Tab-separated table of all heavy atoms in Angstrom:
chain	number	residue	atom	x	y	z
A	1	PHE	N	0.827	-1.196	0.000
A	1	PHE	CA	0.000	0.000	0.000
A	1	PHE	C	0.867	1.255	0.000
A	1	PHE	O	0.622	2.198	-0.753
A	1	PHE	CB	-0.935	-0.002	1.200
A	1	PHE	CG	-1.686	1.278	1.353
A	1	PHE	CD1	-2.694	1.610	0.462
A	1	PHE	CD2	-1.380	2.157	2.361
A	1	PHE	CE1	-3.382	2.793	0.592
A	1	PHE	CE2	-2.049	3.343	2.499
A	1	PHE	CZ	-3.057	3.675	1.616
A	2	LEU	N	1.889	1.260	0.856
A	2	LEU	CA	2.767	2.428	0.919
A	2	LEU	C	3.523	2.624	-0.392
A	2	LEU	O	3.708	3.750	-0.846
A	2	LEU	CB	3.748	2.288	2.085
A	2	LEU	CG	3.126	2.428	3.470
A	2	LEU	CD1	4.157	2.120	4.544
A	2	LEU	CD2	2.551	3.807	3.663
A	3	MET	N	3.958	1.532	-1.001
A	3	MET	CA	4.670	1.628	-2.265
A	3	MET	C	3.759	2.234	-3.338
A	3	MET	O	4.172	3.104	-4.103
A	3	MET	CB	5.162	0.246	-2.720
A	3	MET	CG	6.048	0.290	-3.950
A	3	MET	SD	6.859	-1.278	-4.317
A	3	MET	CE	5.514	-2.408	-4.359
A	4	ALA	N	2.494	1.797	-3.367
A	4	ALA	CA	1.556	2.365	-4.338
A	4	ALA	C	1.317	3.837	-4.052
A	4	ALA	O	1.183	4.648	-4.979
A	4	ALA	CB	0.230	1.599	-4.300
A	5	SER	N	1.299	4.212	-2.771
A	5	SER	CA	1.092	5.616	-2.409
A	5	SER	C	2.278	6.476	-2.816
A	5	SER	O	2.112	7.597	-3.296
A	5	SER	CB	0.883	5.749	-0.901
A	5	SER	OG	-0.261	5.063	-0.521
A	6	VAL	N	3.489	5.964	-2.613
A	6	VAL	CA	4.696	6.725	-2.932
A	6	VAL	C	4.864	6.873	-4.433
A	6	VAL	O	5.282	7.927	-4.927
A	6	VAL	CB	5.937	6.042	-2.306
A	6	VAL	CG1	7.219	6.667	-2.797
A	6	VAL	CG2	5.859	6.126	-0.791
A	7	LEU	N	4.515	5.832	-5.175
A	7	LEU	CA	4.665	5.893	-6.626
A	7	LEU	C	3.745	6.950	-7.234
A	7	LEU	O	4.055	7.512	-8.276
A	7	LEU	CB	4.372	4.525	-7.254
A	7	LEU	CG	5.399	3.447	-6.961
A	7	LEU	CD1	4.947	2.126	-7.577
A	7	LEU	CD2	6.767	3.822	-7.489
A	8	GLY	N	2.628	7.212	-6.544
A	8	GLY	CA	1.746	8.281	-6.998
A	8	GLY	C	1.145	7.997	-8.356
A	8	GLY	O	0.360	7.099	-8.529
A	9	VAL	N	1.522	8.767	-9.331
A	9	VAL	CA	0.926	8.705	-10.657
A	9	VAL	C	1.825	7.881	-11.570
A	9	VAL	O	3.010	8.107	-11.665
A	9	VAL	CB	0.751	10.126	-11.226
A	9	VAL	CG1	0.178	10.078	-12.609
A	9	VAL	CG2	-0.123	10.955	-10.303
A	10	ALA	N	1.229	6.906	-12.249
A	10	ALA	CA	1.982	6.088	-13.200
A	10	ALA	C	1.310	6.194	-14.554
A	10	ALA	O	0.159	5.795	-14.703
A	10	ALA	CB	2.016	4.639	-12.728
A	11	GLU	N	2.012	6.714	-15.504
A	11	GLU	CA	1.526	6.862	-16.868
A	11	GLU	C	0.172	7.568	-16.921
A	11	GLU	O	-0.766	7.114	-17.573
A	11	GLU	CB	1.448	5.494	-17.556
A	11	GLU	CG	2.807	4.841	-17.718
A	11	GLU	CD	2.710	3.531	-18.478
A	11	GLU	OE1	1.715	3.315	-19.202
A	11	GLU	OE2	3.638	2.740	-18.361
A	12	GLY	N	0.029	8.655	-16.170
A	12	GLY	CA	-1.178	9.464	-16.234
A	12	GLY	C	-2.339	8.929	-15.428
A	12	GLY	O	-3.426	9.466	-15.472
A	13	GLN	N	-2.141	7.825	-14.692
A	13	GLN	CA	-3.215	7.279	-13.887
A	13	GLN	C	-3.046	7.741	-12.442
A	13	GLN	O	-1.955	7.759	-11.911
A	13	GLN	CB	-3.189	5.750	-13.910
A	13	GLN	CG	-3.511	5.172	-15.263
A	13	GLN	CD	-3.482	3.654	-15.201
A	13	GLN	OE1	-2.795	3.074	-14.388
A	13	GLN	NE2	-4.256	3.034	-16.084
A	14	GLY	N	-4.149	8.080	-11.806
A	14	GLY	CA	-4.121	8.427	-10.394
A	14	GLY	C	-4.130	7.166	-9.557
A	14	GLY	O	-4.349	6.064	-10.051
A	15	LEU	N	-3.913	7.328	-8.277
A	15	LEU	CA	-3.898	6.185	-7.368
A	15	LEU	C	-5.239	5.455	-7.382
A	15	LEU	O	-5.283	4.232	-7.352
A	15	LEU	CB	-3.555	6.653	-5.941
A	15	LEU	CG	-3.418	5.566	-4.884
A	15	LEU	CD1	-2.319	4.578	-5.278
A	15	LEU	CD2	-3.128	6.157	-3.531
A	16	ALA	N	-6.327	6.197	-7.468
A	16	ALA	CA	-7.651	5.564	-7.504
A	16	ALA	C	-7.791	4.658	-8.723
A	16	ALA	O	-8.376	3.579	-8.646
A	16	ALA	CB	-8.748	6.618	-7.499
A	17	ASP	N	-7.233	5.082	-9.880
A	17	ASP	CA	-7.286	4.237	-11.078
A	17	ASP	C	-6.457	2.975	-10.892
A	17	ASP	O	-6.848	1.889	-11.320
A	17	ASP	CB	-6.770	5.009	-12.298
A	17	ASP	CG	-7.672	6.181	-12.654
A	17	ASP	OD1	-8.893	6.079	-12.400
A	17	ASP	OD2	-7.148	7.186	-13.172
A	18	LEU	N	-5.288	3.123	-10.264
A	18	LEU	CA	-4.417	1.970	-10.046
A	18	LEU	C	-5.028	0.958	-9.084
A	18	LEU	O	-4.778	-0.234	-9.175
A	18	LEU	CB	-3.059	2.420	-9.484
A	18	LEU	CG	-2.169	3.218	-10.432
A	18	LEU	CD1	-0.966	3.749	-9.675
A	18	LEU	CD2	-1.728	2.353	-11.599
A	19	LEU	N	-5.853	1.438	-8.168
A	19	LEU	CA	-6.431	0.572	-7.143
A	19	LEU	C	-7.860	0.162	-7.468
A	19	LEU	O	-8.632	-0.166	-6.604
A	19	LEU	CB	-6.375	1.273	-5.783
A	19	LEU	CG	-4.981	1.646	-5.306
A	19	LEU	CD1	-5.063	2.444	-4.018
A	19	LEU	CD2	-4.113	0.421	-5.133
A	20	GLY	N	-8.217	0.174	-8.711
A	20	GLY	CA	-9.534	-0.286	-9.135
A	20	GLY	C	-10.649	0.673	-8.774
A	20	GLY	O	-11.753	0.246	-8.483
A	21	GLY	N	-10.375	1.956	-8.777
A	21	GLY	CA	-11.399	2.950	-8.506
A	21	GLY	C	-11.544	3.302	-7.042
A	21	GLY	O	-12.332	4.168	-6.693
A	22	SER	N	-10.828	2.651	-6.159
A	22	SER	CA	-10.927	2.941	-4.732
A	22	SER	C	-10.046	4.126	-4.377
A	22	SER	O	-8.940	4.262	-4.888
A	22	SER	CB	-10.471	1.741	-3.898
A	22	SER	OG	-11.281	0.637	-4.152
A	23	THR	N	-10.533	4.960	-3.489
A	23	THR	CA	-9.700	6.042	-2.983
A	23	THR	C	-8.776	5.470	-1.926
A	23	THR	O	-8.950	4.329	-1.467
A	23	THR	CB	-10.554	7.159	-2.353
A	23	THR	OG1	-11.198	6.629	-1.195
A	23	THR	CG2	-11.575	7.711	-3.338
A	24	ARG	N	-7.829	6.245	-1.514
A	24	ARG	CA	-6.871	5.808	-0.505
A	24	ARG	C	-7.594	5.436	0.791
A	24	ARG	O	-7.307	4.404	1.391
A	24	ARG	CB	-5.870	6.942	-0.256
A	24	ARG	CG	-4.554	6.475	0.239
A	24	ARG	CD	-3.584	7.617	0.346
A	24	ARG	NE	-2.937	7.794	-0.952
A	24	ARG	CZ	-2.089	8.755	-1.228
A	24	ARG	NH1	-1.806	9.671	-0.339
A	24	ARG	NH2	-1.523	8.833	-2.403
A	25	ASP	N	-8.520	6.279	1.231
A	25	ASP	CA	-9.263	6.006	2.470
A	25	ASP	C	-10.107	4.743	2.348
A	25	ASP	O	-10.187	3.946	3.293
A	25	ASP	CB	-10.154	7.191	2.845
A	25	ASP	CG	-9.360	8.406	3.294
A	25	ASP	OD1	-8.185	8.231	3.691
A	25	ASP	OD2	-9.899	9.520	3.236
A	26	GLU	N	-10.741	4.540	1.204
A	26	GLU	CA	-11.540	3.337	0.994
A	26	GLU	C	-10.666	2.092	1.019
A	26	GLU	O	-11.052	1.054	1.566
A	26	GLU	CB	-12.299	3.412	-0.330
A	26	GLU	CG	-13.423	4.425	-0.337
A	26	GLU	CD	-13.986	4.656	-1.736
A	26	GLU	OE1	-13.271	4.386	-2.730
A	26	GLU	OE2	-15.132	5.121	-1.832
A	27	LEU	N	-9.481	2.195	0.420
A	27	LEU	CA	-8.564	1.060	0.408
A	27	LEU	C	-8.093	0.725	1.816
A	27	LEU	O	-8.084	-0.439	2.208
A	27	LEU	CB	-7.359	1.350	-0.492
A	27	LEU	CG	-6.311	0.240	-0.537
A	27	LEU	CD1	-6.892	-1.020	-1.156
A	27	LEU	CD2	-5.099	0.692	-1.304
A	28	VAL	N	-7.720	1.734	2.582
A	28	VAL	CA	-7.272	1.512	3.963
A	28	VAL	C	-8.388	0.867	4.770
A	28	VAL	O	-8.163	-0.099	5.500
A	28	VAL	CB	-6.799	2.831	4.612
A	28	VAL	CG1	-6.598	2.664	6.105
A	28	VAL	CG2	-5.529	3.322	3.950
A	29	GLN	N	-9.603	1.372	4.627
A	29	GLN	CA	-10.733	0.816	5.357
A	29	GLN	C	-11.000	-0.629	4.938
A	29	GLN	O	-11.250	-1.499	5.771
A	29	GLN	CB	-11.977	1.667	5.137
A	29	GLN	CG	-13.158	1.224	5.975
A	29	GLN	CD	-14.351	2.158	5.803
A	29	GLN	OE1	-14.340	3.055	4.975
A	29	GLN	NE2	-15.379	1.926	6.588
A	30	SER	N	-10.931	-0.897	3.655
A	30	SER	CA	-11.163	-2.247	3.160
A	30	SER	C	-10.097	-3.225	3.648
A	30	SER	O	-10.406	-4.323	4.103
A	30	SER	CB	-11.195	-2.235	1.631
A	30	SER	OG	-11.392	-3.519	1.135
A	31	LEU	N	-8.817	-2.831	3.544
A	31	LEU	CA	-7.732	-3.691	4.025
A	31	LEU	C	-7.848	-3.944	5.518
A	31	LEU	O	-7.676	-5.067	5.981
A	31	LEU	CB	-6.371	-3.064	3.717
A	31	LEU	CG	-5.878	-3.164	2.287
A	31	LEU	CD1	-4.602	-2.354	2.106
A	31	LEU	CD2	-5.637	-4.606	1.907
A	32	THR	N	-8.161	-2.908	6.270
A	32	THR	CA	-8.275	-3.038	7.716
A	32	THR	C	-9.376	-4.015	8.093
A	32	THR	O	-9.174	-4.902	8.929
A	32	THR	CB	-8.546	-1.662	8.368
A	32	THR	OG1	-7.476	-0.783	8.029
A	32	THR	CG2	-8.660	-1.773	9.871
A	33	SER	N	-10.548	-3.883	7.475
A	33	SER	CA	-11.651	-4.785	7.824
A	33	SER	C	-11.336	-6.222	7.420
A	33	SER	O	-11.701	-7.160	8.135
A	33	SER	CB	-12.964	-4.320	7.198
A	33	SER	OG	-12.914	-4.416	5.798
A	34	GLN	N	-10.652	-6.419	6.304
A	34	GLN	CA	-10.285	-7.768	5.885
A	34	GLN	C	-9.289	-8.395	6.847
A	34	GLN	O	-9.410	-9.566	7.216
A	34	GLN	CB	-9.702	-7.755	4.468
A	34	GLN	CG	-10.705	-7.469	3.391
A	34	GLN	CD	-11.715	-8.586	3.241
A	34	GLN	OE1	-11.381	-9.756	3.283
A	34	GLN	NE2	-12.971	-8.220	3.107
A	35	LEU	N	-8.289	-7.624	7.267
A	35	LEU	CA	-7.260	-8.159	8.163
A	35	LEU	C	-7.802	-8.413	9.562
A	35	LEU	O	-7.526	-9.449	10.163
A	35	LEU	CB	-6.061	-7.210	8.220
A	35	LEU	CG	-5.250	-7.116	6.931
A	35	LEU	CD1	-4.199	-6.030	7.046
A	35	LEU	CD2	-4.606	-8.453	6.606
A	36	VAL	N	-8.583	-7.482	10.093
A	36	VAL	CA	-9.131	-7.635	11.433
A	36	VAL	C	-10.082	-8.821	11.492
A	36	VAL	O	-10.144	-9.530	12.498
A	36	VAL	CB	-9.825	-6.326	11.890
A	36	VAL	CG1	-10.629	-6.534	13.161
A	36	VAL	CG2	-8.788	-5.239	12.100
A	37	GLY	N	-10.807	-9.083	10.424
A	37	GLY	CA	-11.755	-10.183	10.387
A	37	GLY	C	-11.111	-11.564	10.443
A	37	GLY	O	-11.801	-12.563	10.635
A	38	LEU	N	-9.795	-11.638	10.315
A	38	LEU	CA	-9.113	-12.925	10.366
A	38	LEU	C	-8.949	-13.424	11.799
A	38	LEU	O	-8.792	-14.607	12.030
A	38	LEU	CB	-7.744	-12.829	9.693
A	38	LEU	CG	-7.759	-12.507	8.195
A	38	LEU	CD1	-6.336	-12.374	7.680
A	38	LEU	CD2	-8.513	-13.562	7.405
A	39	TRP	N	-8.957	-12.519	12.777
A	39	TRP	CA	-8.818	-12.870	14.185
A	39	TRP	C	-10.197	-12.906	14.824
A	39	TRP	O	-11.075	-12.120	14.484
A	39	TRP	CB	-7.989	-11.820	14.928
A	39	TRP	CG	-6.527	-11.916	14.737
A	39	TRP	CD1	-5.633	-12.545	15.553
A	39	TRP	CD2	-5.745	-11.350	13.676
A	39	TRP	NE1	-4.363	-12.399	15.057
A	39	TRP	CE2	-4.405	-11.672	13.909
A	39	TRP	CE3	-6.059	-10.595	12.540
A	39	TRP	CZ2	-3.385	-11.280	13.072
A	39	TRP	CZ3	-5.042	-10.206	11.698
A	39	TRP	CH2	-3.721	-10.545	11.957
A	40	GLU	N	-10.379	-13.798	15.788
A	40	GLU	CA	-11.642	-13.831	16.514
A	40	GLU	C	-11.403	-14.420	17.905
A	40	GLU	O	-10.627	-15.353	18.073
A	40	GLU	CB	-12.674	-14.691	15.777
A	40	GLU	CG	-14.026	-14.706	16.457
A	40	GLU	CD	-15.040	-15.584	15.730
A	40	GLU	OE1	-14.704	-16.225	14.730
A	40	GLU	OE2	-16.179	-15.627	16.205
A	41	THR	N	-12.072	-13.861	18.878
A	41	THR	CA	-12.052	-14.357	20.248
A	41	THR	C	-13.480	-14.317	20.765
A	41	THR	O	-14.221	-13.384	20.463
A	41	THR	CB	-11.155	-13.468	21.140
A	41	THR	OG1	-9.844	-13.444	20.583
A	41	THR	CG2	-11.079	-13.995	22.549
A	42	GLY	N	-13.872	-15.338	21.501
A	42	GLY	CA	-15.227	-15.350	22.012
A	42	GLY	C	-15.405	-16.361	23.129
A	42	GLY	O	-14.453	-17.037	23.535
A	43	ASP	N	-16.621	-16.442	23.621
A	43	ASP	CA	-16.965	-17.369	24.690
A	43	ASP	C	-18.086	-18.275	24.235
A	43	ASP	O	-18.891	-17.908	23.378
A	43	ASP	CB	-17.423	-16.606	25.941
A	43	ASP	CG	-16.310	-15.780	26.558
A	43	ASP	OD1	-15.156	-16.244	26.569
A	43	ASP	OD2	-16.596	-14.658	27.021
A	44	LEU	N	-18.138	-19.466	24.832
A	44	LEU	CA	-19.218	-20.403	24.597
A	44	LEU	C	-19.455	-21.183	25.875
A	44	LEU	O	-18.598	-21.224	26.753
A	44	LEU	CB	-18.916	-21.327	23.412
A	44	LEU	CG	-17.593	-22.109	23.409
A	44	LEU	CD1	-17.776	-23.454	24.075
A	44	LEU	CD2	-17.148	-22.302	21.985
A	45	GLU	N	-20.628	-21.762	25.994
A	45	GLU	CA	-20.955	-22.531	27.191
A	45	GLU	C	-20.880	-24.020	26.868
A	45	GLU	O	-21.413	-24.478	25.848
A	45	GLU	CB	-22.365	-22.187	27.672
A	45	GLU	CG	-22.712	-22.875	28.969
A	45	GLU	CD	-24.131	-22.587	29.415
A	45	GLU	OE1	-24.618	-21.475	29.180
A	45	GLU	OE2	-24.742	-23.510	29.985
A	46	PHE	N	-20.196	-24.754	27.737
A	46	PHE	CA	-20.081	-26.197	27.560
A	46	PHE	C	-20.266	-26.857	28.923
A	46	PHE	O	-19.500	-26.592	29.851
A	46	PHE	CB	-18.725	-26.561	26.953
A	46	PHE	CG	-18.533	-28.040	26.776
A	46	PHE	CD1	-19.336	-28.752	25.894
A	46	PHE	CD2	-17.564	-28.715	27.478
A	46	PHE	CE1	-19.170	-30.118	25.733
A	46	PHE	CE2	-17.393	-30.085	27.319
A	46	PHE	CZ	-18.197	-30.786	26.445
A	47	LEU	N	-21.293	-27.671	29.066
A	47	LEU	CA	-21.602	-28.375	30.310
A	47	LEU	C	-21.638	-27.424	31.508
A	47	LEU	O	-21.018	-27.661	32.541
A	47	LEU	CB	-20.596	-29.505	30.555
A	47	LEU	CG	-20.637	-30.658	29.562
A	47	LEU	CD1	-19.521	-31.639	29.836
A	47	LEU	CD2	-21.991	-31.369	29.616
A	48	ASP	N	-22.334	-26.320	31.346
A	48	ASP	CA	-22.507	-25.297	32.391
A	48	ASP	C	-21.210	-24.591	32.783
A	48	ASP	O	-21.121	-24.019	33.867
A	48	ASP	CB	-23.189	-25.886	33.638
A	48	ASP	CG	-24.585	-26.398	33.347
A	48	ASP	OD1	-25.271	-25.754	32.514
A	48	ASP	OD2	-24.987	-27.419	33.923
């Protein structure tokens, strides 16, 4: 993500074009939700 941000514009395309139409904030939000969703902690009841 940082490399794509630093490269900025490539051959007249903006970052949003390079990332499939997503803005930087949308990409960060999407990556964050995908990564956070991989971890889970919870409770369950077994034999009281």
Side-chain angles (χ1 to χ4, degrees):
F1 173 71
L2 289 174
M3 187 170 53
S5 297
V6 171
L7 291 177
V9 178
E11 296 184 21
Q13 293 181 333
L15 184 59
D17 295 330
L18 292 172
L19 300 175
S22 299
T23 66
R24 206 175 274 176
D25 290 339
E26 290 170 337
L27 178 64
V28 169
Q29 186 176 7
S30 179
L31 283 173
T32 301
S33 66
Q34 289 293 318
L35 292 173
V36 169
L38 296 177
W39 281 264
E40 183 181 3
T41 302
D43 294 322
L44 53 90
E45 184 183 326
F46 179 65
L47 294 175
D48 298 324

